[in-house]
Structure formats: structure tokens, C-alpha cells
Amino acid sequence: MKLLYISAELYPYVKTGGLGDVAASLPPSLSKQGIDIRYLLPGYAEITNILVSPKKITTLHWNGMNATLLLGRLPNGLHAYVIDAPEYYHRANPYTYADGADWPDNHLRFGLLCHTAAHLAQYDAKWQPDILHGHDWHCGLIPAYIAHSPEPRPATVLTIHNIAYQGLFPHSVLQDLRLPPECFSVYGLEYHGQVGFLKAGIYYADSVTTVSPTYAGELKTAEYGHGLQGLISDRENMAGILNGIDQDIWNPATDKNIDTSYDATSLALKKNNKTALCTELGMDPKKTKLLLGAISRLTPQKGFDILLDCMPALLEKGVSFAILGKGDAAIEAKLADIAAQWPGKIGLRLGYDETLAHRIQAGCDAILVPSAFEPCGLVQMYGLRYGTLPVVRKTGGLADTVRDQETGFVFDHATQESLQDALDRLQAVYKKPATWKKMQRQAMAENFGWDTAAKNYIDLYRRLFGDNVIMLPKIA
Ligand code: ADP
């Protein structure tokens, strides 16, 4: 079985959130289990620069532009097709200007990605994928192109990592995307008078999956489905396959980004990381007691509204915060404001810093993920691994990964009261070091490696591809 894995992000080269982490971890896991897998990626400079032994496969003609399709290897050893089109992909952010506004040609940039995936499935006779597995709206047109191409066709899988991002564009873009006009239908890619990339994927894909069992159920409801709940409900058996985490990169026993390594048997050493983190963020370690962390894209999804409402009372009680975030200007401004009011009590970094994220996980007592919705969430799983107890809302993957009062603190509603209740319970447990430590050990004993997810995806591919699956030998 040959599988083409298509993604708009790949850690550590281009990452804005969990999508990049998943693209870095799942394909190597699938490869280890015997899947013949290759990537297809946009040619960001960060990707073309690290591609090993790139060879030109063909020239792609697209909207008056010529791009080069390269095939090389990534440092992780897997083959990758890369679309070398500097005018599309050499930009500071994969999706937006610095102020957060979308690049105006995103439909062309990701349309080319989708079109190339479909082209590869029929063009390269030597390595023709049997399955195209795309992720999020950037890959939504792949199943549409395949549905309109001649047989034999590969099977298509679309994984929804976040339904809030749907890739909506005006009707007028359709003519640039090389899809027949009849696609623009409710039985196609039309969505409230616009062209919907994600809508197209959900409509045309052979299989649609999402990244946790709870989110799979939530997507069928008006509260979480962002208007696509009807279409999703019509699909039978939408799988919710829980993401894993890279347990080598996120391992407090070997993490080179942190001050002092530790594991579940040497938890006392964790406090060295707290001391180092406080110093790094301009807080006095001696005056810092309970330290709560947050690492997040700053969007309305992530629950900073209710967190900001809870913060004054917590600060009054002597609680400190270490916050790393980037995004919405209004949320950034509110955080900067409260940090200025509480000097030495809130270590705030507005920006994106991969290594600081590790130090916050290692140095804090608890990590806050109060999201209004969270398809899977990785931050809470990293927290569990670092014995940094997660405080999460009972939604999506947060509900599937954190056990209340056993491995973390779970609250029901996206309200200040509900979050406050969880934080009250947390403070009560924090006063009982033996119970706190027991919870830390339970959290650190959880296993969220990729093997289980990879097996679930392989079962899905088998169902799509039939039983005549030829697998490569497993890599030990
Ligand atoms: P999402 O994909 O919605 O952003 P996830 O929890 O699935 O949320 O994944 C977030 C990933 O991005 C984690 O690896 C987290 O550490 C990282 N991250 C988020 N914001 C920042 C930031 N400002 N700096 C560094 N890493 C960040």
C-alpha cells in the first residue's frame, strides 16, 4: 500500500500548532509499521533548504506560474515531494500577514498543493499512491480533484484537526482552481455561496476522520460543527483517532531545553526547573509558590477570556503565572495589561518560542488548557508527561486524555465559575504534597505514544484499500 501524506505544516520547519507536530510524528510511525509512505509539502524555504538529494520530477503549470515538483528525503529519512514555487511559499508565515490577515492567494497556494496530490496519484507510474491522506482545509480539494479524475482512482482520507478553519473563498476563485462548474453545488464544494475547501473534503473524501473520539461526536452538533454538522452527521462512522505525542522530543528525562532532567522517580528535581524558569521570566523564585503555565495560540478558541476573568482573584491569593502565547491582538493586549499590573507575578512572553514551551512544561506546577473547544490538544499531553498537572475543559481530546482528580483537573463549562471551581480544587490538592505527587506520578505513567494511533490509521487504510494490502517489512 502506497500512501501519500499531505500537510501544510511540518515540525520543526514550519509549525503554527498541533498540525505540524502530527505531521512530524505520524508518518514515521506508519513507516515503522510497514506502510510505504511519502510526504507532499509546500516548498517553504525552511523545507526546500533541508531536503536531501532533491531531484526534479516535473514542472507544474498553474495559473500562469511554473513550479518545480521535487522529490528528496527529509532528515527523518522519509521521501518527500516538495512543490518548489518561491513566489507562493517563501513567506514569513504559512497562512497570514504579520497582522493575522490571510494571504489573498491562499486558494491558489493550497489549491496547487491539492492539485499536485491528485496529479501524483495518476502521473508517476513508478510510485503511484493508493491512498491520499490530507489534513485540514488546506487539503480539502484533494478528494474533489480525485472525484473528477478518470479511474483508477486512489482512496482519499481527510483528517479534520480543527473545523474552525474552513478555507472559504468567493465563488469567483473556482475558475482558477480547475474544477468543473457543477462542483459549485450543495452536493459539492459550495458552502453558503462560497467555495469551501473543507466542505469539499468532507463531501468528497472516501473517509473523514478527526483527532479524538469526543471531538468526532461533538462535530455532529450545532455547538461544535461550525455549520458543517449536518454534512458530518450524514457520513457514517467518522473515526475519531486520538493523536499521540512524540515521547522522545517531550521527555523530561532527556530534554536538553530544560535546566534539570527528571523522571517520575526523581520528581524533587523538577523544582530546579521552576527556579530557572522564574529567573528567566523575571520572577523571584523565592516568592513564587503555585506556578500555573499556559502555552497557546491566542485565539478565542483557547479560553483566555475565562482565564483572564479568574486571574485577579488567583493573583490576590499569591498564585503566579508563566504564559507563552501569540495571536489575537486583543488577547495579547489584555495579557500585557494584567502582567503590567502584577510585576513579578506574571512571566509573559508574547511570541512563538519552541524551547521556552519545554521550560514552561518542566517548570510549572500545572498547565492551563481552558479551551472552548479542543479537537485533540497536545499541550495537556505534554503536561502529563512532565508531571505538570493539566487543568482542562471537558471537551474534545482534553476530555479523552485527562482524568479528573487523578491526572489533572477537568471542568465542565466554558465559564469563569467552572474554571474557578477546578482551580479551587487544584489549590486544595496542592496543599497536600503527597496527593499532588501521587497525581503527578499517575500523569507521568500515561502513554500517548503514536503506535496506537498509527495502528488505527492502518486499520482504516485497510478498510479502504481492501484486504490485498502489501506492506513493507516492519522496521524494528
Ligand atoms: P493547536 O494545534 O490548536 O494550536 P495543540 O495543543 O494541538 O493546539 O498544539 C499546540 C502546539 O503548539 C504545541 O506543540 C504547543 O507547545 C505549541 N505552541 C502553541 N503556542 C506556542 C507558542 N506561542 N510558542 C511555542 N509553542 C507553542
Side-chain angles (χ1 to χ4, degrees):
M1 185 189 342
K2 294 186 178 62
L3 178 83
L4 189 67
Y5 186 100
I6 310 103
S7 176
E9 297 186 21
L10 177 66
Y11 169 87
Y13 315 109
V14 176
K15 164 177 164 179
T16 69
L19 187 65
D21 287 347
V22 173
S25 304
L26 176 57
S29 248
L30 290 167
S31 169
K32 264 193 207 145
Q33 296 198 26
I35 297 282
D36 184 1
I37 185 168
R38 294 183 180 184
Y39 288 93
L40 170 65
L41 302 164
Y44 308 115
E46 297 84 347
I47 302 275
T48 48
N49 286 345
I50 51 87
L51 199 62
V52 181
S53 313
K55 286 192 188 64
K56 180 177 169 175
I57 296 291
T58 188
T59 301
L60 304 164
H61 305 284
W62 182 250
N63 275 279
M65 196 250 319
N66 291 335
T68 305
L69 184 64
L70 302 171
L71 174 63
R73 275 187 195 267
L74 295 173
N76 69 9
L78 296 185
H79 280 103
Y81 294 96
V82 174
I83 304 169
D84 191 18
E87 66 191 86
Y88 271 10
Y89 302 125
H90 285 202
R91 300 185 188 176
N93 180 290
Y95 315 123
T96 66
Y97 290 98
D99 69 1
D102 289 338
W103 298 119
D105 55 353
N106 273 348
H107 61 291
L108 292 175
R109 300 170 68 236
F110 295 108
L112 175 59
L113 181 69
C114 296
H115 194 264
T116 306
H119 175 74
L120 269 171
Q122 302 196 305
Y123 164 83
D124 185 354
K126 288 193 282 305
W127 195 90
Q128 234 169 358
D130 305 299
I131 295 182
L132 304 182
H133 187 170
H135 299 262
D136 270 351
W137 75 262
H138 329 102
C139 296
L141 291 192
I142 297 171
Y145 286 121
I146 292 298
H148 293 91
S149 59
E151 292 196 36
R153 301 187 190 106
T156 52
V157 181
L158 179 77
T159 297
I160 303 171
H161 295 253
N162 193 332
I163 205 161
Y165 302 96
Q166 299 196 351
L168 294 175
F169 301 94
H171 180 197
S172 55
V173 307
L174 195 58
Q175 62 191 25
D176 297 333
L177 294 172
R178 296 195 203 161
L179 280 162
E182 58 270 24
C183 285
F184 196 72
S185 152
V186 67
Y187 305 108
L189 52 68
E190 186 269 344
Y191 184 69
H192 293 293
Q194 293 185 288
V195 170
F197 273 48
L198 191 67
K199 155 82 196 293
I202 297 172
Y203 181 78
Y204 288 110
D206 294 308
S207 178
V208 179
T209 74
T210 189
V211 289
S212 72
T214 295
Y215 194 57
E218 289 173 342
L219 284 180
K220 295 180 179 155
T221 67
E223 188 183 351
Y224 293 95
H226 278 73
L228 290 169
Q229 60 274 12
L231 186 61
I232 288 176
S233 302
D234 287 347
R235 295 208 61 116
E236 281 170 24
N237 306 327
M238 188 176 73
I241 300 176
L242 192 70
N243 284 337
I245 57 171
D246 188 318
Q247 303 198 114
D248 295 327
I249 292 174
W250 294 92
N251 181 355
T254 55
D255 192 336
K256 296 275 178 286
N257 299 300
I258 66 177
D259 182 84
T260 306
S261 309
Y262 62 96
D263 62 20
T265 63
S266 56
L267 267 168
L269 294 173
K270 184 167 162 48
K271 70 172 179 315
N272 296 354
N273 294 299
K274 187 173 183 174
T275 304
L277 178 66
C278 286
T279 308
E280 178 177 358
L281 296 180
M283 296 187 282
D284 183 346
K286 291 203 185 77
K287 291 188 188 151
T288 303
K289 292 172 196 132
L290 176 60
L291 180 60
L292 305 180
I295 303 159
S296 188
R297 290 184 299 113
L298 299 177
T299 69
Q301 170 197 343
K302 297 292 181 176
F304 277 70
D305 49 346
I306 57 171
L307 177 59
L308 278 156
D309 288 343
C310 288
M311 281 174 74
L314 291 161
L315 287 155
E316 292 287 353
K317 282 192 192 165
V319 175
S320 303
F321 292 87
I323 300 176
L324 170 62
K326 184 172 182 303
D328 191 302
I331 305 174
E332 288 195 0
K334 283 183 191 159
L335 285 169
D337 204 35
I338 194 165
Q341 287 170 37
W342 291 87
K345 286 290 168 195
I346 302 175
L348 175 65
R349 287 285 184 276
L350 295 174
Y352 192 92
D353 187 336
E354 194 71 37
T355 67
L356 179 57
H358 286 247
R359 291 191 290 283
I360 290 180
Q361 292 284 9
C364 288
D365 297 301
I367 192 92
L368 306 169
V369 194
S371 308
F373 66 94
E374 194 60 75
C376 178
L378 299 175
V379 170
Q380 83 283 6
M381 291 197 254
Y382 300 149
L384 291 166
R385 187 124 173 97
Y386 282 68
T388 305
L389 300 182
V391 181
V392 302
R393 187 162 106 73
K394 192 173 183 178
T395 183
L398 302 174
D400 294 334
T401 51
V402 181
R403 289 180 285 124
D404 191 35
Q405 301 278 148
E406 290 180 37
T407 60
F409 301 89
V410 182
F411 62 99
D412 284 331
H413 307 293
T415 61
Q416 179 189 352
E417 294 71 30
S418 200
L419 171 58
Q420 189 59 59
D421 175 69
L423 292 169
D424 289 346
R425 291 189 284 116
L426 178 151
Q427 288 170 91
V429 178
Y430 192 66
K431 286 184 190 138
K432 299 179 192 156
T435 314
W436 187 268
K437 195 180 254 185
K438 185 174 165 209
M439 283 183 69
Q440 285 181 301
R441 291 216 172 102
Q442 284 166 182
M444 294 174 89
E446 298 285 312
N447 180 356
F448 292 112
W450 271 102
D451 285 356
T452 310
K455 280 196 188 82
N456 287 330
Y457 279 112
I458 291 172
D459 285 348
L460 172 78
Y461 302 147
R462 280 182 201 274
R463 286 200 295 278
L464 288 172
F465 191 63
D467 288 330
N468 304 325
V469 177
I470 300 169
M471 305 271 280
L472 299 174
K474 277 194 187 185
I475 300 166

